[in-house]
Amino acid sequence: MKNQSAARQRSPFTKAMLAIVGIALFLGFIALGTWQVQRRAWKLDLIERVDQRVHSAPVAVPAQAQWPQINAANYEYLPVQTQGIWLDRQSVLSKALTEDGSGFWVMTPLQLADGSQIWVNRGFTPEKMRSEWLKQIGEASPSTETVTVIGLMRMSEPGGGFLRKNDGASGQWYSRDVTAMAQSMGLTQAAPYFIDLGVPKSNPAHAQAKPDAMFDGVLRSGMTVIQFPNSHLVYAITWYGLAAMVLGAAWLVRRHDKAAALKA
């Protein structure tokens, strides 16, 4: 009986490996839980910031002198208004996945009176409408009419999409990287942000934020996501719970080893 109990005792190597794995799992779960707590704080700040901004009256777009100070914390989702002339021939299509399915964002630079340009997301066009959009752009004469644009400021999306890089040379855009778009189109005074055309219905300027008449029936504007899911607390509790389970398992293993040692 004593020999059988001794045989059930773990070797020093096995104990060391169990300890290393247990510590690694515990620290990993704690790190993931803490990360979710931090993400929750960031998400709550984002939700509060966006909710305060999107319902406010539009303000003038930042002047060029302010561009270096523009950041997401102070400007993203801010309702703005400006006037300019569409540079339709320099529009690009950026891949999009929306509640309406997959398709493209139609990004067109707006030429302002001071010579600068601002990229405007004029709206979403589904995959099946891509040819119609290209046809309208190809047949359109260069714009000369000054238009008023009302929308929400958004930050540039550099790089590309998941596992896909933007390729301006071939016209493949997987994110709205306005800096790269400007370079590919030869725009030298493009703003480091873009505007999502349209504002929420709760905004006092909603009635004035008219849809793009040129693409009526082809584009859908005003699709900016301003409601964000926040399940980070659940995730944090889950990770911390798993860390607690690791501690419980370690206590049970330790208890078993002590019992086995006493019977040896």
Side-chain angles (χ1 to χ4, degrees), residues 236-258:
I237 292 174
T238 300
W239 290 122
Y240 286 142
L242 289 172
M245 290 176 64
V246 170
L247 288 179
W251 178 79
L252 289 175
V253 170
R254 180 63 176 167
R255 181 183 178 184
H256 176 273
D257 287 347
K258 283 186 176 181

Side-chain angles (χ1 to χ4, degrees), residues 57-79:
V59 298
V61 296
Q64 291 192 51
Q66 297 175 275
W67 289 359
Q69 286 76 46
I70 290 178
N71 55 49
N74 296 327
Y75 287 92
E76 192 161 31
Y77 299 101
L78 179 70

Side-chain angles (χ1 to χ4, degrees), residues 185-234:
M185 291 296 162
L187 303 178
T188 58
Q189 298 186 61
Y193 62 89
F194 65 94
I195 298 174
D196 270 347
L197 192 64
V199 292
K201 292 181 179 180
S202 58
N203 191 288
H206 177 74
Q208 287 75 43
K210 299 179 181 179
D212 199 326
M214 179 179 179
F215 300 101
D216 185 28
V218 182
L219 287 177
R220 180 184 171 187
S221 60
M223 294 184 67
T224 308
V225 176
I226 57 175
Q227 294 182 337
F228 309 96
N230 184 13
S231 301
H232 299 292
L233 181 59
V234 174

Side-chain angles (χ1 to χ4, degrees), residues 70-114:
I70 290 178
N71 55 49
N74 296 327
Y75 287 92
E76 192 161 31
Y77 299 101
L78 179 70
V80 293
Q81 178 174 333
T82 190
Q83 291 184 322
I85 299 174
W86 292 119
L87 301 179
D88 292 313
R89 297 294 179 85
Q90 291 167 289
S91 299
V92 300
L93 297 179
S94 177
K95 196 68 177 178
L97 183 61
T98 72
E99 60 185 21
D100 286 352
S102 62
F104 301 91
W105 298 120
V106 177
M107 303 289 293
T108 302
L110 186 73
Q111 182 78 35
L112 274 58
D114 64 358

Side-chain angles (χ1 to χ4, degrees), residues 4 6 23 32 42 47 54 58 69 120 122 133 137 151 159-160 171-172 187 192 202 213 217 247 252:
Q4 291 178 354
I23 292 172
L32 288 170
W42 169 82
I47 293 172
V54 297
Q69 286 76 46
V120 178
R122 300 172 84 168
W133 177 86
I137 286 295
Q172 298 295 319
L187 303 178
S202 58
L247 288 179
L252 289 175

Side-chain angles (χ1 to χ4, degrees), residues 86-202:
W86 292 119
L87 301 179
D88 292 313
R89 297 294 179 85
Q90 291 167 289
S91 299
V92 300
L93 297 179
S94 177
K95 196 68 177 178
L97 183 61
T98 72
E99 60 185 21
D100 286 352
S102 62
F104 301 91
W105 298 120
V106 177
M107 303 289 293
T108 302
L110 186 73
Q111 182 78 35
L112 274 58
D114 64 358
S116 64
Q117 305 91 24
I118 299 178
W119 285 94
V120 178
N121 175 16
R122 300 172 84 168
F124 171 79
T125 185
E127 295 271 3
K128 63 181 181 180
M129 298 297 293
R130 184 173 185 271
S131 58
E132 179 66 22
W133 177 86
L134 292 174
K135 178 182 177 182
Q136 290 197 41
I137 286 295
E139 295 176 351
S141 302
S143 298
T144 58
E145 179 185 0
T146 298
V147 297
T148 298
V149 169
I150 300 175
L152 303 177
M153 278 186 66
R154 302 296 307 281
M155 299 298 103
S156 182
E157 302 166 348
F162 180 66
L163 299 178
R164 293 181 176 182
K165 292 185 177 180
N166 292 325
D167 185 0
S170 61
Q172 298 295 319
W173 299 97
Y174 300 100
S175 70
R176 293 166 291 188
D177 185 344
V178 295
T179 301
M181 288 178 177
Q183 292 176 350
S184 69
M185 291 296 162
L187 303 178
T188 58
Q189 298 186 61
Y193 62 89
F194 65 94
I195 298 174
D196 270 347
L197 192 64
V199 292
K201 292 181 179 180
S202 58

